[in-house]
Structure formats: structure tokens, C-alpha cells
Amino acid sequence: MNPRTQELGSKVIYQIYIKSYQDSDGDGMGDLRGITSRLDYLADLGVDCVWITPFFPSPQNDNGYDVSDYCAIEPLYGTMDDFEELAREARARGIEVMLDMVFNHTSTEHEWFKKALSGDPKYLAYYKFVDAAPGATADDPGKPPTNWESKFGGNAWEYVPSLNKWYLHLFDVTQADLDWDNPEVREELANVLRFWRGKGVNCFRFDVVNLISKPNVLEDDFEGDGRRFYSDGPHIHEYLQELVRLGGIDGLMTVGEMSSTSLQSCIGYSNPSNHELSMCFNFHHLKVDYDHGDKWALKDPDIDELRELFRSWQEEMAAGGGWNALFWSNHDQPRPNSRFGDTERFWYESSTLLPTATHLMRGTPYIYQGEELGQTITDFTSIDQYRDVESINYYRILQDRGCTPEEAFHIVHARSRDDGRTPMAWNDSPNAGFTTGTPWLALVGNYPTVNAQAEMADPHSVRAYFKRLIALRKAEPVIQEGDVRFVEGLEGSPIIAFWRTLGKTRLLVQCNFSGEEVGALDAEGSELLIGNYDEPSDMLRPYEARATIWR
Ligand code: GLC
């Protein structure tokens, strides 16, 4: 038995998007004290760790992923005392707090960037600045250093007239990419980790961390948006190993968010012999409904592609000694039940099918706030209701590309990051108990029925089902550390099915990703471990998920 596998394999992590979880002071935004007041709810659910999205000082242009000070607390969210109380109270309930480290870029309001703008050479060297052509002006800056696109739309370089230089921003123009080739930058960031370690923090998530190592030669990308040059970049493993060593976090529970990554790279990031991270998020399975790989072009999910992606990432990561973070949902994704299921006709089934698949795979499952209640995407009817910078940009870009306003809205409505960011629904009172003020982002209209209080009172609720899945992972070694093998020959069918085995114990998980009945796989001699239909059947019913076990 591998102790690390058993340790990571027995944990369930819960993600809190702080701005939308629980407001304690009536300003319409969630905060640290709000989270503390909900720790009993989390303990009841049974999770081991809460990842809280960034609550550091920030102008909030990207809701906290634009950090202006890594070692303090954003006043909107509370104080250092509030954080320490939260961490203490969480630990008293057996829950660790995972901090979100945004180390690819800082806010342009960070003092490092401000000093760079003032021309200080030490701090100019903290970022990716490139000289503009002599004689460039604000009105006519010339061509940017490369044609790379920002992830939020538009060119990834911004011209600074006072310096006659460009700086790189892979995300918003107010998120300047750090230059990790500079050892002083790496030392500063390791210091940030040491600061939080000093506060007793034991778990860390690293935001888009596979983008930190940029290529030595900056060249145009004529095949794509530039990502092939800087994703899993040339010194990535070296820089991660150094960060882990200097930051004193080797062996702690850590996760890297890996953007457009490869399986081989993720084996490298998470195989313990490399002393990098415990596990990786990858997003390939969440692109199977992107038409031609374009997030802003809709298509139905391709289940054959989804099955093959799960198969390769499950089986091959295991073979290479890597470890997956398992998830469908986070603050950047539309709610998965609306996306991969049918919440009009089969809301309960869709909301329980998806976690049955991931929670029984090999890896560490993540639950994103409200997913355990079956919260759905928004019912917004106007672009004015959206807050996310990417959604607002793309509403315009889609129209520039020829969409009518209605078509652009239809796409944004299905793909917006705000689809997953609406406030947590606690009860059926006004604003679902999230705030006594005006919520920063409107709630989804179904909260009078889809809310925590109602579901905690109902033994057949989506939340009750999640609770069972969490308890099963803790009880069953085959889920924690069993081998994984996908059922072959299912191409063209809506079923995704896999085996987990440990010694004599075998678990068969079968999931019907469709609203039609299909014949179930033979599971003779097994007993039902968990499923989202009560009556036995030879058929898999709409969005049915079923796990059966032989002991
Ligand atoms: C990650 C975060 C996302 C943020 C981006 C830039 O993808 O999850 O919310 O916008 O990084 O920091």
C-alpha cells in the first residue's frame, strides 16, 4: 500500500468562491467571517479541506485573481484576525484551509509593478517587459512583440508610453505576467509561501502555474493564440521544484491548475519522485462541448471524446505515478449539470450522475460550492446582469465576429464564468440567505427549492447523495487506491464505465450520459454500492449512474 496514494485518495476537497459564499456584513459580497459561520455545514458534508479563492488585497478586476499584495487580506473580505479565526475553527472541525496562490501574474496595482512603471530597473526585471520600436507613441505604438492573444480577448501585450515598452499580460491588461527567469522573483514568491506556512497553512492551490516559464525567444504563433509556446514552458519543472523546496511545502497537499497541458507534463508535476505538486487540474474533459476547440462556439458534448479523455488521464496518469484532481465544476465553468445533463427533465439524475463518475475515479475529488445542491446555470436575460470581465469582452468580440446581439447573448449565457459564480443558495428567504444587502451578482431563480436548508431536510436530495459519495470514499479502500481500467468497446454509446480493483474487491461504475434508456452492462453477482435510481433494472435509465461491487 502506497501511503501517499491512500492519503490523497481518501480526501475530498470543497472549493469556496469567497465572493459568492456567505456575506456577514450586508455589503452583498461573501467574506471570511461568512465562511466561518458555515463551517458546521461543511463538517456535516464531510469534506477534509476547503480551497478558498484569493482573498488578498486586489482591485478585483478579475475577482481577486489580480493580487496587489500576497501577504495581507482584502478589506472587503475581512482582516488577518478573521482569517486566523477561520483557519482555527476549521481545523477544530478537522478541515484544512487551502490557499490560492496566483503566481503567474500580479495586479498592475502591486507595488512591484508600480515601481516598474516608475522606471526602477530592479522591478522592470520582475515582469516581461520588451522594448518598443524607437519613436513609438501611444497613438501609434507599432506592432506588439508577438501576436499572442490574451485569454480574455485581444492582444496579450500592452504598450506603456512613459517607458516605451510593452508588457505581457496573458489575462486581463491589469494582470501583468511575472518574469520567472529572474531568480529574485522566484525568491519573492517562495517568501510568500513561507509567510503563509508561518500562519499554519498546509495546503496550496497554484493558479495557472504551468504558464510561468516563458520561452527564451518570443515568436508569433501562426497556428494558434500563442499558448503552445508558454504552456508547460522550458523551465517549468525546475522552477516548480525550486519553489517547493524554498517555500518549504514538499509533501504538503498541493494542486496545480494546468492550462492546456499534456498528460506527460502532469505526470512530471505530480509524480512524488519529482518533488513538485501533489496533483493537477487539467481541462481537456471540459472542452468536449467546444466546437473546433472554441469555447465561444457551442456544440453538444461529445461523449466518445469524454470517455477517451477520462480513460487516458485515469489509466496513463496511474501508470506514470501521477495523481489527478477530479472535478467538473469550478468558478470558471458553467454548472456541469446544465451542460452535460438535462436539468429541465432530469435535474436530480443529472446532478448526481456527474459526481458519481468523478468521485469513484482514481484521484482526489473536488466539489465546487453549490454543486452539492445541484445549482444550475443562470437564468439571466440581459448582458447587464453579468459581471465577469471575460463574458463582457466576449459579448462584444462575438458581435465583432458577425454574431447578432441575440446570438452573442445566447453563447455567453451558456459559457459565462458567471454561470458558476452566482451566490450560494442557503435557504428560501430573500437572496437565499446569502446576504441581507444587494448581491453583487444575481441569484438563480430556482433557489426557493434548490437550497441547502431544503436539501438537508430531505434524505433523497442531491446533497444527501453527495454526502454518501464522500462517506464511501472514506470507507472503501478500492475507491482510495484501487487500480482503474475503462470498459472498452463503448464507442457510439452514451455509457461511460470503468472498473476499480483492489485485491479481490472489484467495483464497476456505469454512467448513462443521455436522456434515453440503454442496456446496462452485466454486473451479475455484485451488490449495489450507490446509484441514483432506487428500483433495480437491466436498463440504465436517463442519466442513471450505478456502482456495484464484488467483494
Ligand atoms: C485561473 C483562475 C481564473 C483566473 C485566471 C487568471 O484560470 O481560475 O479565475 O481568471 O486563472 O488568474
Short mmCIF file of all heavy atoms in Angstrom, two decimals, residues 62 65 105 152 171 175 205 207-208 257 331-332 417 421, ligand 1:
data_model
loop_
_atom_site.label_atom_id
_atom_site.label_comp_id
_atom_site.label_asym_id
_atom_site.label_seq_id
_atom_site.Cartn_x
_atom_site.Cartn_y
_atom_site.Cartn_z
N ASP A 62 -10.37 40.93 -11.71
CA ASP A 62 -10.65 39.52 -12.02
C ASP A 62 -11.02 38.82 -10.71
O ASP A 62 -10.58 37.69 -10.45
CB ASP A 62 -9.43 38.88 -12.70
CG ASP A 62 -9.74 37.50 -13.27
OD1 ASP A 62 -10.92 37.21 -13.51
OD2 ASP A 62 -8.78 36.71 -13.45
N TYR A 65 -8.13 37.42 -8.59
CA TYR A 65 -7.01 36.78 -9.28
C TYR A 65 -6.04 37.84 -9.82
O TYR A 65 -5.13 37.54 -10.59
CB TYR A 65 -7.50 35.82 -10.36
CG TYR A 65 -8.01 34.53 -9.75
CD1 TYR A 65 -9.35 34.37 -9.42
CD2 TYR A 65 -7.13 33.50 -9.44
CE1 TYR A 65 -9.81 33.21 -8.81
CE2 TYR A 65 -7.58 32.34 -8.83
CZ TYR A 65 -8.91 32.20 -8.52
OH TYR A 65 -9.35 31.06 -7.91
N HIS A 105 1.09 36.01 -12.40
CA HIS A 105 0.99 37.45 -12.67
C HIS A 105 0.64 38.18 -11.38
O HIS A 105 0.15 37.57 -10.43
CB HIS A 105 -0.09 37.73 -13.72
CG HIS A 105 -1.35 36.92 -13.52
ND1 HIS A 105 -1.59 35.73 -14.17
CD2 HIS A 105 -2.42 37.09 -12.70
CE1 HIS A 105 -2.75 35.24 -13.79
NE2 HIS A 105 -3.27 36.04 -12.88
N PHE A 152 -8.43 36.53 -22.16
CA PHE A 152 -9.71 37.26 -22.03
C PHE A 152 -10.04 38.07 -23.27
O PHE A 152 -10.92 38.93 -23.25
CB PHE A 152 -9.67 38.17 -20.80
CG PHE A 152 -9.58 37.45 -19.47
CD1 PHE A 152 -9.15 38.10 -18.34
CD2 PHE A 152 -9.95 36.11 -19.36
CE1 PHE A 152 -9.07 37.45 -17.11
CE2 PHE A 152 -9.86 35.44 -18.14
CZ PHE A 152 -9.42 36.12 -17.02
N PHE A 171 -3.60 37.37 -19.24
CA PHE A 171 -5.01 37.52 -18.85
C PHE A 171 -5.38 38.99 -19.03
O PHE A 171 -5.02 39.58 -20.03
CB PHE A 171 -5.21 36.96 -17.42
CG PHE A 171 -4.99 35.46 -17.39
CD1 PHE A 171 -3.72 34.93 -17.18
CD2 PHE A 171 -6.04 34.59 -17.65
CE1 PHE A 171 -3.51 33.55 -17.21
CE2 PHE A 171 -5.84 33.21 -17.67
CZ PHE A 171 -4.58 32.70 -17.45
N GLN A 175 -3.41 42.42 -15.24
CA GLN A 175 -2.72 41.25 -14.66
C GLN A 175 -1.40 41.05 -15.44
O GLN A 175 -1.38 40.39 -16.48
CB GLN A 175 -3.60 39.99 -14.78
CG GLN A 175 -4.85 40.05 -13.88
CD GLN A 175 -5.87 38.98 -14.23
OE1 GLN A 175 -6.37 38.94 -15.36
NE2 GLN A 175 -6.21 38.13 -13.28
N ARG A 205 -3.19 25.82 -3.53
CA ARG A 205 -3.51 25.67 -4.96
C ARG A 205 -2.69 26.71 -5.71
O ARG A 205 -2.52 27.83 -5.22
CB ARG A 205 -4.99 25.91 -5.21
CG ARG A 205 -5.35 25.93 -6.72
CD ARG A 205 -6.50 26.86 -7.01
NE ARG A 205 -6.97 26.78 -8.38
CZ ARG A 205 -7.00 27.83 -9.22
NH1 ARG A 205 -6.56 29.01 -8.85
NH2 ARG A 205 -7.46 27.68 -10.44
N ASP A 207 -2.49 28.80 -9.11
CA ASP A 207 -3.25 29.27 -10.27
C ASP A 207 -2.40 29.20 -11.55
O ASP A 207 -1.22 29.60 -11.51
CB ASP A 207 -3.63 30.73 -9.98
CG ASP A 207 -4.62 31.30 -10.97
OD1 ASP A 207 -5.74 30.80 -11.04
OD2 ASP A 207 -4.26 32.27 -11.67
N VAL A 208 -2.98 28.73 -12.63
CA VAL A 208 -2.33 28.63 -13.96
C VAL A 208 -0.80 28.50 -13.88
O VAL A 208 -0.05 29.18 -14.59
CB VAL A 208 -2.72 29.81 -14.90
CG1 VAL A 208 -4.18 29.70 -15.30
CG2 VAL A 208 -2.44 31.19 -14.32
N GLU A 257 -3.15 24.26 -11.08
CA GLU A 257 -4.09 24.42 -12.19
C GLU A 257 -3.28 24.47 -13.47
O GLU A 257 -2.47 25.37 -13.65
CB GLU A 257 -4.90 25.71 -12.03
CG GLU A 257 -5.95 25.83 -13.12
CD GLU A 257 -6.46 27.25 -13.31
OE1 GLU A 257 -5.73 28.21 -13.06
OE2 GLU A 257 -7.61 27.38 -13.74
N HIS A 331 -15.11 27.90 -10.42
CA HIS A 331 -15.61 29.26 -10.63
C HIS A 331 -15.38 29.77 -12.05
O HIS A 331 -15.73 30.91 -12.34
CB HIS A 331 -14.91 30.18 -9.62
CG HIS A 331 -13.43 30.23 -9.85
ND1 HIS A 331 -12.60 29.16 -9.55
CD2 HIS A 331 -12.63 31.17 -10.40
CE1 HIS A 331 -11.37 29.46 -9.90
NE2 HIS A 331 -11.35 30.68 -10.41
N ASP A 332 -14.75 28.97 -12.89
CA ASP A 332 -14.54 29.38 -14.29
C ASP A 332 -15.44 28.60 -15.24
O ASP A 332 -15.36 28.80 -16.46
CB ASP A 332 -13.08 29.12 -14.71
CG ASP A 332 -12.09 29.97 -13.93
OD1 ASP A 332 -12.44 31.09 -13.56
OD2 ASP A 332 -10.97 29.48 -13.70
N ARG A 417 -18.44 32.53 -17.22
CA ARG A 417 -17.93 32.11 -15.92
C ARG A 417 -18.91 32.51 -14.81
O ARG A 417 -18.94 31.88 -13.75
CB ARG A 417 -16.54 32.73 -15.68
CG ARG A 417 -15.55 32.32 -16.77
CD ARG A 417 -14.12 32.59 -16.38
NE ARG A 417 -13.85 34.00 -16.13
CZ ARG A 417 -12.69 34.46 -15.69
NH1 ARG A 417 -11.70 33.62 -15.45
NH2 ARG A 417 -12.49 35.75 -15.51
N ARG A 421 -20.83 31.36 -10.79
CA ARG A 421 -20.43 32.27 -9.72
C ARG A 421 -21.60 32.87 -8.95
O ARG A 421 -21.39 33.68 -8.04
CB ARG A 421 -19.57 33.40 -10.30
CG ARG A 421 -18.28 32.90 -10.89
CD ARG A 421 -17.43 34.00 -11.49
NE ARG A 421 -16.15 33.45 -11.94
CZ ARG A 421 -15.17 34.16 -12.46
NH1 ARG A 421 -15.30 35.47 -12.60
NH2 ARG A 421 -14.05 33.58 -12.84
C1 GLC B 1 -7.30 30.84 -13.36
C2 GLC B 1 -8.43 31.22 -12.44
C3 GLC B 1 -9.28 32.24 -13.14
C4 GLC B 1 -8.43 33.45 -13.39
C5 GLC B 1 -7.15 33.08 -14.15
C6 GLC B 1 -6.16 34.19 -14.10
O1 GLC B 1 -7.71 30.25 -14.52
O2 GLC B 1 -9.13 30.07 -12.08
O3 GLC B 1 -10.44 32.57 -12.42
O4 GLC B 1 -9.15 34.39 -14.15
O5 GLC B 1 -6.51 31.97 -13.60
O6 GLC B 1 -5.64 34.33 -12.81
#
